[in-house]
Amino acid sequence: MIIFRRGQKDVASALFAEARRVGATVAVLPLLDGSGGELSNRWTEAVRGESRGRLIAVILEDDISVVDDLVRHLCIPSDVNVMAVGVDQLSVVRDPEGVRRRCDDLLASVEGARQMRGVTVSGSCFHVSFADSSAWERHDGGLSPGRVATLPAGEISIQPLTMDGVFVADGAISMNRRIRRDVRLAAHPITLKLDSGFVHDVQCADPRLLVLLQRALLRPGANRVTRFGIGANTDVPAFSARNGAENRRRPGVCLGFADNERGLLVSLIASSAVLSIEHGDVDVCASLEIKVAG
């Protein structure tokens, strides 16, 4: 099944032709207004009539950041695979096997880690701990029944137990909303002060961005760090001006925040980091440098 908006007809047609060429049975689901309600209604009809267990739904989206907002309207059966593809970001989906290997390497590096200390050249200095060191998730583009795989892929993440210190996001900001501005942060980094996993202060030289962040993060229920991610996709050489998944996949460190009441997801990304990995109460046992080579 190929789900697409009007503007993605050419990409959908090419994907349809390739699927038919290899002998797959393909259904297409064009969206008229692209709203979550429309997708939910048409999805229910389409899934009901498909052969379950072999169904792969591919969602083509110009702005991949809104996919989270779209798929929350869907009831995804446990035997249905869903892949969301950022049409404008296909250029960084060049080496899927390499991305999977780098995710494997990162997971091997953090295996058993109960806490990390991190520093960045932009001024970050933080300590983060984890309740369950085996709870790391991989986002390598592989299909998993009942879940959504988003391309471009290449990241591992975990929900931290707590986080303290200063985190400076000098890479990019990402939201599950359409952002009509350059999301890169090199010219105006965002500084967060964290205590026990909560944001207590936000600083940014861009006044409009500062107001947006204060409204998004400095409110009860939205100011807790819910996601600590490490990027692994070295095919993303630079941060994109567009709000998209590739910025979270680029080698760097990403903090995520979820406002469940408003359905708002915010991610802030640091361009590089050196992480000291600690196991239990023993001394630092490994150092992991996260950056794009060269």
Side-chain angles (χ1 to χ4, degrees):
M1 183 193 307
I2 302 172
I3 302 169
F4 67 97
R5 298 178 194 264
R6 289 175 178 173
Q8 300 129 12
K9 185 175 180 180
D10 291 344
V11 177
S13 297
L15 185 58
F16 178 84
E18 178 62 18
R20 292 294 297 271
R21 186 187 69 81
V22 298
T25 301
V26 187
V28 293
L29 188 63
L31 300 179
L32 300 179
D33 62 18
S35 68
E38 179 199 15
L39 176 57
S40 179
N41 293 335
R42 302 204 64 194
W43 169 270
T44 301
E45 297 173 5
V47 170
R48 187 184 300 125
E50 288 290 338
S51 174
R52 302 277 285 278
R54 295 178 298 158
L55 175 63
I56 299 176
V58 180
I59 302 176
L60 301 177
E61 177 55 62
D62 288 333
D63 187 347
I64 199 67
S65 64
V66 303
V67 165
D68 288 333
D69 207 40
L70 282 176
V71 299
R72 69 189 178 91
H73 294 273
L74 304 182
C75 178
I76 303 176
S78 60
D79 54 354
V80 171
N81 298 285
V82 180
M83 178 174 288
V85 182
V87 173
D88 63 322
Q89 299 158 14
L90 290 175
S91 61
V92 295
V93 188
R94 292 196 295 265
D95 183 15
E97 288 302 319
V99 167
R100 293 187 183 99
R101 286 195 300 271
R102 287 189 287 276
C103 284
D104 287 339
D105 291 342
L106 280 178
L107 286 172
S109 298
V110 301
E111 183 179 6
R114 301 309 299 263
Q115 51 189 332
M116 294 182 186
R117 299 183 185 275
V119 296
T120 70
V121 294
S122 55
S124 299
C125 183
F126 58 83
H127 172 264
V128 57
S129 62
F130 317 108
D132 183 356
S133 59
S134 66
W136 288 88
E137 295 185 356
R138 58 187 299 147
H139 311 275
D140 62 3
L143 291 174
S144 179
R147 304 187 65 181
V148 179
T150 303
L151 296 182
E155 183 186 14
I156 65 171
S157 68
I158 192 171
Q159 180 173 339
L161 175 63
T162 187
M163 186 169 181
D164 300 279
V166 175
F167 182 83
V168 181
D170 62 346
I173 180 174
S174 174
M175 300 177 69
N176 64 335
R177 299 287 192 274
R178 297 189 187 277
I179 302 178
R180 293 178 175 84
R181 60 164 291 157
D182 189 328
V183 300
R184 292 172 294 187
L185 298 175
H188 38 261
I190 296 167
T191 300
L192 303 181
K193 293 183 179 179
L194 301 150
D195 183 15
S196 301
F198 293 89
V199 177
H200 287 276
D201 185 54
V202 181
Q203 299 175 18
C204 181
D206 184 319
R208 290 198 301 171
L209 184 54
L210 178 60
V211 170
L212 183 151
L213 289 165
Q214 289 173 333
R215 291 174 177 173
L217 301 181
L218 295 182
R219 51 176 275 150
N223 63 337
R224 183 178 181 85
V225 182
T226 57
R227 187 173 181 274
F228 181 87
I230 302 174
N233 192 332
T234 55
D235 286 336
V236 185
F239 287 104
S240 169
R242 293 193 58 175
N243 181 31
E246 80 271 30
N247 285 335
R248 298 196 307 271
R249 310 313 195 195
R250 184 185 188 275
V253 172
C254 174
L255 298 190
F257 304 85
D259 184 339
N260 295 323
E261 181 179 333
R262 294 185 294 174
L264 177 63
L265 302 176
V266 179
S267 297
L268 299 174
I269 305 125
S271 59
S272 62
V274 176
L275 301 175
S276 300
I277 304 170
E278 304 175 18
H279 293 230
D281 297 324
V282 301
D283 293 334
V284 174
C285 64
S287 182
L288 179 63
E289 188 170 7
I290 309 298
K291 68 176 185 178
V292 175

